[in-house]
Amino acid sequence: MLDINIEDVKNVLISCRPYLIFLGIVLVAAVIALIVCAVNKKLQKKTKYLVRTQAGIVVMLAVVITVNMIVTGPMYTLVSLAMGDGSISQESIDSSSEFGVKVAEEGIVLLKNDDNLLPMTDKKTLNVFGWASTNPCYGGSGSGGISDAYPTISLLDGLKDAGFETNEELSSFYTEYRADRPSVNMFAQDWTLPEPPVDQYTDELMQNAKDFSDTAVVVFARTGCENADLPTDFTKVTYTNNSEDYEDFGSDRHYLELSRSEENMLDMVCDNFDNVIVVYNGSSVFELGFAEKHEQIKSLIWCPGTGQTGFEALGEVLAGEVNPSGKTTDILVKDLKETPSYNNFVVTPYDNMDEHGVTNAFNPEELKVPSFANYVEGIYAGYRFYETAAAEGFLNYEDAVSYPFGYGMSYTSFEQKMGDLNVDADGNITVEVTVTNTGSVAGKEVVELYYNPPYINGGIEKSTANLIAFDKTELLEAGASETVTLSFTAEDMASYDTYNHGCYVLEAGDYIISLQSDSHNVIDSKTYNVAADIVYDESNPRSTDETAAVNQFGFAEGDVTYLSRADGFANYTEATAAPSNRSMSEESKAQYLDNSNYNPEDYNNQDDVMPATGADNGVQLVDLRGLDYEDELWDTLLDELTVDEMSNLIAFGGYQTAAIDSIGKVATTDCDGPVDIYNNFTGVSSIGLPAVVMLAFTWNTDIAQEYGECIASMADEMNVSGWYAPSMNMHRNSFAGRNFEYYSEDGFIAGKLAASVVQGSNKYGVYAYIKHFALNDQETDRWYKNSMWCNEQAIREIYLKPFETAVKEGHATAVMSSYNYIGPVWSGACAPLQQTVLRDEWGFRGMVITDYFLSAGGAMNSDQAIRNGSDLMLTNIDAGTNNLQDTTSATGVLAMRNATHNILYTVVNSRAYDGDNLNSGMPAWEIMMIVIDLVIAALLVLLEVFVVRKGYKKRKETIIVTESEK
């Protein structure tokens, strides 16, 4: 759910200003009339009576008119959304609650289990240490938060429900220290991690704990936040230390490692207990090296945000009722400051872009100038770097990595046997893997297939480990086997050759196809040989592309040194250093557009021909349901629309698409967020499911599809047709604030899971907005024009990969763009991205919406957006530049027509036009308003009649008195 944005409040007041001025003028006039009436002794009583009563009636009439004009004018969309209907059935609440547990049961990852401490089938008493045990993290904040409308299963509840008795004295000690978690939200963050200093643990408390149980569970938790990245320098954020004797986070510590108080507490626990279980509750990669320093830490569990019911699964895993089968979708390194992206993650302000600066919406005295981040690591993101660097001898893997990508343990053991590669004439490759449960308890196993391509020193950049296929078995009883068939194509192993062919190339040589337990450990491998280079250029596009993928993003490369594998990463120090140049090049500045220098008239094409508008062709939108995007009937329908209808549809697309009565276009409702459906206007919400990271850890596409189905089925009950999810940006850096919303550092698994979620959403006719397209991998100053510089190979192979899969395999019909710039071009107006790649190459048909529309940031502009591939502005108020400036040129109207076509295509093929859902009548609130208006009008007429009659009576009485006096 979203917090109130003060800029929106200002914009609402500004849009209502003309009507309020009208009301103010009437009120002032009425007051003046009353004052004149009061001070003028010469006026007769009957005249004063008439002035007073008529002034009152005029004021009442003015109030009614003003309210009507505001409600049916600038506030129409907001009122329509606030008066929306829809609710969630108890059956859906119950089923989604159960499903949330199911996701966590398969997503919780067991990282360590020495001496088989887990599961605890006999021991049922636990000391649960750590303040976070009483205030765990259920998800994140912002649009990815969960509703408080439903009861939430706490961590301690989950343990108790699994049959454990926990030390209540210890838990009370924590809640008495602090009862609530410090607030971390979109507009203010208190990053304080309450943790009692060890000197507050009395001898009695610790002795009672040892008497209660010989086993300790220690809980550490970390949250995430939209609009803020995780702290690496605590002098720049709000944080209250737990002790006056030391700082929790000095200059040498960051948010994703233990605080001093946590470290001291863990040392104390390990000094007093021989059996220690650590639970890390968070979605971002955490430094877990401490688990190697204490032999008492026998077991280590990674439990991302659980949503409102998922902590039931944690108890089940500890008790052995569920055998953990989750695997990591990020590599866990020992020192996050040593990752290739660390020095180039937080955006750096430019020193030569002041002319494009804007006033900080929350601090009028601060000028926000454009900033930048360099994606210096290129394709070597996450495990791709560490596996390749280890293979090149650049680093010692064991010294650098705690746990590989794709790692996770089980309470049983499995044997995997790889069959031969089966290749057909079209390059489709399949391999069968037989999985056998060789242990003593039932469990599920993930099967992971990687490829290692041939590499020429100094040639196309390539990682030694690349996930190419995966699957998950059903529950296998002890001794049982299952054969899993994995499929991929030879072209899936092609690398993008930016600097030579300018397209994907499958280079000649041996490709090692390996069955692995994770990104590092090989079980078996086979070799696939490519006899000669295969170039996927315009004459030979990949089989999944409608047009060949060729160079489009040269403008985004910038003056950046990118990490190269050449000579064993010889340029590592130079490439990964913090930026020394803070100036945008003159060449890039010449391409840089924002609201200060963009004029749509400068980009009009004089050869464009004005299309027909306002035609009376008799076609209704419902007639287009199920027809191809290119069907000729679309032109007939689009000819009927007026410029005003198209302009309104485009400008006001926040949490809805507007109605167009002339063609029977119904209004639809869209809602946040990635783990639930939450209507910010009616307050109706669904159960919050586990964080997307937890879903990713399942490695289960069936569960991912069910995730989409679960959300969409509740959306359907809420009369919601669009879902602002799934989010599929990359875990480029662990400190990114919204990593809890994103799947992985790996675009392949992120794409497969996201595509399954979209397929599930499609089943109920709910269009899922895949977001944020693209390179939206950090949050700091996101509203103020951050330029992301990246080479084309990395853009395509890493950052666009999940979106590509969600479009091609998930059949997404809605996309949300991002705030950031790609090089010098705002992503929402980046034609190579939104038009060439998305629509021409991938074959996307549907609409692209902006991220939440903020003209205050100085970048978002509807004219520029619709001329470059975007269609809908995510705002429901007059935010200034969401309104089109050019509505008269042929170029402008053609762009409006195209955007309208895209919006209507998505909507008409959604649940909104499915049978009983179709209701093109006037909204109930509007009918009620008309009824109220009629009642008020009737009352005002009666009041006026009463006043006139009474005035006539007074005048008559005055005449009679006057005549009698005569």
Side-chain angles (χ1 to χ4, degrees):
M1 62 222 64
L2 295 178
D3 299 300
I4 294 175
N5 186 338
I6 190 63
E7 279 301 302
D8 287 346
V9 175
K10 292 178 182 177
N11 286 329
V12 167
L13 293 175
I14 290 171
S15 64
C16 294
R17 183 165 53 192
Y19 310 100
L20 297 175
I21 290 174
F22 161 74
L23 179 59
I25 291 172
V26 172
L27 289 174
V28 170
V31 170
I32 291 173
L34 292 173
I35 292 173
V36 170
C37 184
V39 300
N40 192 335
K41 304 298 184 180
K42 295 181 180 181
L43 289 177
Q44 296 180 359
K45 287 185 177 181
K46 61 181 182 181
T47 304
K48 290 184 177 182
Y49 169 79
L50 182 63
V51 171
R52 292 191 187 105
T53 54
Q54 293 304 310
I57 292 174
V58 168
V59 169
M60 286 188 284
L61 184 61
V63 169
V64 172
I65 292 173
T66 301
V67 170
N68 273 265
M69 292 174 70
I70 290 175
V71 168
T72 59
M75 295 289 288
Y76 181 84
T77 300
L78 283 173
V79 174
S80 294
L81 290 168
M83 299 301 290
D85 58 1
S87 61
I88 298 177
S89 67
Q90 188 60 48
E91 180 182 358
S92 292
I93 293 172
D94 293 341
S95 63
S96 59
S97 297
E98 294 172 2
F99 177 67
V101 178
K102 179 179 178 179
V103 173
E105 287 174 343
E106 292 209 22
I108 290 173
V109 178
L110 179 64
L111 295 171
K112 180 179 181 180
N113 196 27
D114 292 351
D115 300 336
N116 292 320
L117 178 60
L118 294 177
M120 292 180 289
T121 55
D122 298 325
K123 191 175 296 297
K124 292 298 182 181
T125 56
L126 290 174
N127 292 299
V128 186
F129 285 88
W131 180 87
S133 66
T134 59
N135 275 274
C137 292
Y138 302 95
S141 64
S143 61
I146 61 176
S147 169
D148 58 3
Y150 301 95
T152 300
I153 303 298
S154 71
L155 184 149
L156 294 174
D157 290 337
L159 295 177
K160 293 171 184 175
D161 291 344
F164 291 103
E165 181 184 359
T166 61
N167 186 333
E168 296 289 349
E169 182 185 17
L170 198 54
S171 298
S172 296
F173 167 69
Y174 292 123
T175 56
E176 289 171 4
Y177 182 76
R178 178 159 181 167
D180 62 318
R181 176 170 286 279
S183 176
V184 174
N185 60 59
M186 285 181 63
F187 300 109
Q189 302 86 37
D190 181 353
W191 295 103
T192 299
L193 296 173
E195 194 66 63
V198 292
D199 58 16
Q200 294 192 23
Y201 290 81
T202 64
D203 292 341
E204 181 183 8
L205 179 65
M206 292 304 297
Q207 185 58 53
N208 289 345
K210 288 190 281 188
D211 293 341
F212 182 78
S213 175
D214 64 357
T215 302
V217 175
V218 181
V219 180
F220 302 117
R222 295 295 187 270
T223 189
C225 178
E226 180 177 359
N227 202 41
D229 292 312
L230 309 186
T232 57
D233 182 352
F234 279 82
T235 64
K236 298 180 180 179
V237 298
T238 299
Y239 189 91
T240 302
N241 287 305
N242 289 285
S243 173
E244 295 180 355
D245 298 330
Y246 58 83
E247 292 183 339
D248 276 330
F249 293 96
S251 59
D252 60 334
R253 293 181 191 246
H254 54 70
Y255 187 69
L256 294 176
E257 62 182 310
L258 294 181
S259 71
R260 178 81 176 273
S261 294
E262 289 173 326
E263 185 177 54
N264 293 343
M265 180 269 292
L266 181 62
D267 291 343
M268 177 194 69
V269 171
C270 290
D271 287 342
N272 284 274
F273 295 89
D274 292 329
N275 295 317
V276 177
I277 303 161
V278 172
V279 175
Y280 168 52
N281 167 221
S283 295
S284 297
V285 167
F286 196 71
E287 291 185 5
L288 299 173
F290 59 80
E292 300 175 12
K293 299 176 182 178
H294 296 282
E295 62 180 10
Q296 297 89 346
I297 299 177
K298 304 292 177 58
S299 300
L300 178 59
I301 287 175
W302 188 353
C303 178
T306 58
Q308 285 171 303
T309 59
F311 272 123
E312 293 282 21
L314 180 62
E316 294 171 344
V317 167
L318 265 62
E321 297 173 17
V322 168
N323 190 348
S325 61
K327 303 272 189 177
T328 62
T329 55
D330 291 315
I331 193 170
L332 288 100
V333 300
K334 294 182 178 180
D335 188 349
L336 291 170
K337 291 183 178 180
E338 293 299 319
T339 57
S341 66
Y342 184 80
N343 291 326
N344 289 274
F345 169 65
V346 177
V347 291
T348 302
Y350 280 110
D351 61 10
N352 67 334
M353 295 288 285
D354 286 5
E355 67 270 31
H356 293 283
V358 295
T359 301
N360 186 339
F362 305 98
N363 181 8
E365 296 181 0
E366 180 184 8
L367 180 71
K368 285 288 189 181
V369 297
S371 302
F372 70 96
N374 298 330
Y375 283 42
V376 296
E377 68 276 16
I379 68 162
Y380 300 106
Y383 75 90
R384 284 178 170 81
F385 169 70
Y386 286 92
E387 302 300 342
T388 309
E392 290 284 350
F394 180 76
L395 55 77
N396 183 289
Y397 195 84
E398 286 69 28
D399 291 342
V401 177
S402 292
Y403 300 100
F405 169 92
Y407 178 84
M409 300 178 69
S410 171
Y411 295 150
T412 190
S413 57
F414 294 96
E415 178 186 65
Q416 297 188 28
K417 291 187 177 180
M418 182 182 185
D420 292 331
L421 301 179
N422 297 301
V423 185
D424 67 17
D426 296 323
N428 297 307
I429 304 170
T430 59
V431 58
E432 292 185 345
V433 177
T434 300
V435 182
T436 302
N437 184 343
T438 57
S440 57
V441 296
K444 294 184 176 185
E445 175 69 322
V446 173
V447 181
E448 304 174 35
L449 202 66
Y450 296 78
Y451 72 93
N452 181 1
Y455 171 69
I456 300 172
N457 189 42
I460 303 173
E461 300 298 339
K462 297 178 184 179
S463 166
T464 59
N466 304 271
L467 183 68
I468 190 70
F470 67 91
D471 203 349
K472 194 170 191 176
T473 68
E474 299 297 326
L475 185 68
L476 297 179
E477 298 295 333
S481 298
E482 179 182 339
T483 298
V484 173
T485 300
L486 301 177
S487 303
F488 60 100
T489 65
E491 69 181 32
D492 291 337
M493 298 186 290
S495 298
Y496 196 85
D497 181 10
T498 305
Y499 306 112
N500 186 14
H501 292 93
C503 61
Y504 280 98
V505 176
L506 185 68
E507 289 192 309
D510 288 338
Y511 289 74
I512 309 303
I513 314 300
S514 54
L515 177 67
Q516 301 185 192
S517 60
D518 49 61
S519 64
H520 190 65
N521 295 291
V522 176
I523 299 172
D524 195 2
S525 64
K526 308 292 180 182
T527 300
Y528 176 80
N529 180 264
V530 176
D533 290 356
I534 301 176
V535 180
Y536 297 101
D537 57 15
E538 289 91 340
S539 63
N540 182 40
R542 294 181 300 170
S543 62
T544 60
D545 288 333
E546 291 199 359
T547 61
V550 297
N551 281 354
Q552 299 293 334
F553 300 104
F555 61 88
E557 184 155 328
D559 302 320
V560 179
T561 298
Y562 291 96
L563 183 61
S564 174
R565 183 178 171 183
D567 300 322
F569 293 102
N571 75 338
Y572 183 89
T573 300
E574 177 190 4
T576 62
S580 57
N581 177 18
R582 294 177 49 209
S583 298
M584 183 181 288
S585 71
E586 291 303 316
E587 179 183 1
S588 293
K589 285 188 71 172
Q591 302 175 62
Y592 196 91
L593 294 173
D594 63 10
N595 292 342
S596 71
N597 65 348
Y598 179 78
N599 182 351
E601 295 179 2
D602 295 339
Y603 300 90
N604 285 341
N605 185 344
Q606 299 305 315
D607 295 329
D608 285 336
V609 178
M610 181 67 72
T613 57
D616 185 12
N617 295 330
V619 178
Q620 293 287 286
L621 181 57
V622 68
D623 300 331
L624 279 297
R625 183 172 171 84
L627 299 186
D628 288 342
Y629 179 87
E630 293 82 8
D631 194 284
E632 293 180 357
L633 191 59
W634 275 109
D635 284 328
T636 306
L637 176 80
L638 294 170
D639 286 348
E640 299 175 7
L641 295 170
T642 67
V643 168
D644 286 345
E645 287 172 332
M646 292 187 288
S647 180
N648 184 71
L649 177 69
I650 292 165
F652 298 101
Y655 303 96
Q656 58 116 38
T657 64
I660 304 177
D661 294 339
S662 66
I663 60 169
K665 159 67 175 73
V666 299
T668 61
T669 300
D670 300 340
C671 286
D672 280 323
V675 297
D676 61 2
I677 283 287
Y678 186 91
N679 191 318
N680 291 295
F681 301 91
T682 65
V684 177
S685 64
S686 72
I687 286 285
L689 298 179
V692 171
V693 172
M694 181 79 86
L695 172 63
F697 283 5
T698 69
W699 288 64
N700 191 325
T701 55
D702 291 336
I703 284 184
Q705 180 165 332
E706 192 175 349
Y707 197 99
E709 291 174 4
C710 180
I711 295 281
S713 65
M714 293 186 288
D716 187 45
E717 291 183 358
M718 291 171 59
N719 197 27
V720 170
S721 298
W723 175 34
Y724 292 155
S727 307
M728 57 188 72
N729 296 104
M730 291 289 93
H731 291 178
R732 177 184 175 235
N733 188 281
S734 299
F735 294 94
R738 293 177 84 171
N739 277 355
F740 64 93
E741 286 190 44
Y742 308 146
Y743 294 87
S744 175
E745 66 190 18
D746 178 79
F748 178 82
I749 190 171
K752 290 292 184 180
L753 294 172
S756 296
V757 170
V758 173
Q759 289 171 358
S761 183
N762 288 344
K763 181 177 178 180
Y764 286 86
V766 175
Y767 44 89
Y769 291 90
I770 58 176
K771 65 179 188 180
H772 309 85
F773 194 55
L775 276 71
N776 186 107
D777 305 296
Q778 60 86 44
E779 293 295 297
T780 301
D781 283 344
R782 62 180 184 150
W783 291 332
Y784 299 106
K785 295 177 288 193
N786 294 335
S787 289
M788 303 300 159
W789 300 95
C790 188
N791 64 42
E792 182 130 8
Q793 183 182 10
I795 289 175
R796 289 185 177 274
E797 291 188 16
I798 306 296
Y799 299 100
L800 298 189
K801 181 60 68 177
F803 295 96
E804 180 179 5
T805 307
V807 169
K808 292 179 176 179
E809 298 180 16
H811 308 294
T813 60
V815 172
M816 181 184 292
S817 65
S818 53
Y819 286 119
N820 58 279
Y821 277 53
I822 298 176
V825 183
W826 170 43
S827 74
C830 182
L833 179 70
Q834 307 294 355
Q835 184 61 49
T836 306
V837 171
L838 177 64
R839 302 179 194 273
D840 298 343
E841 293 181 10
W842 300 348
F844 173 78
R845 298 293 180 265
M847 62 176 166
V848 175
I849 194 172
T850 66
D851 204 334
Y852 191 78
F853 199 94
L854 285 170
S855 57
M860 307 182 88
N861 181 304
S862 58
D863 288 271
Q864 187 185 8
I866 67 170
R867 291 167 182 237
N868 292 281
S870 292
D871 308 300
L872 193 62
M873 309 304 116
L874 204 168
T875 183
N876 42 55
I877 61 174
D878 185 349
T881 54
N882 63 308
N883 293 296
L884 293 162
Q885 299 175 50
D886 181 4
T887 59
T888 57
S889 74
T891 301
V893 176
L894 284 169
M896 295 166 62
R897 180 185 176 97
N898 185 62
T900 300
H901 184 186
N902 294 332
I903 297 166
L904 296 181
Y905 178 80
T906 297
V907 171
V908 77
N909 290 297
S910 74
R911 61 166 295 284
Y913 279 80
D914 185 12
D916 295 337
N917 293 334
L918 185 58
N919 179 12
S920 57
M922 184 179 292
W925 74 265
E926 202 167 351
I927 295 173
M928 181 62 67
M929 186 187 71
I930 292 172
V931 172
I932 293 172
D933 283 346
L934 291 173
V935 172
I936 292 174
L939 291 174
L940 286 174
V941 169
L942 290 175
L943 179 59
E944 181 68 12
V945 170
F946 172 78
V947 167
V948 170
R949 290 184 64 182
K950 188 172 181 181
Y952 175 76
K953 185 178 179 181
K954 284 180 176 289
R955 187 177 65 175
K956 187 175 180 180
E957 290 174 351
T958 301
I959 293 172
I960 292 172
V961 169
T962 303
E963 290 179 348
S964 64
E965 290 176 348
K966 290 180 179 180

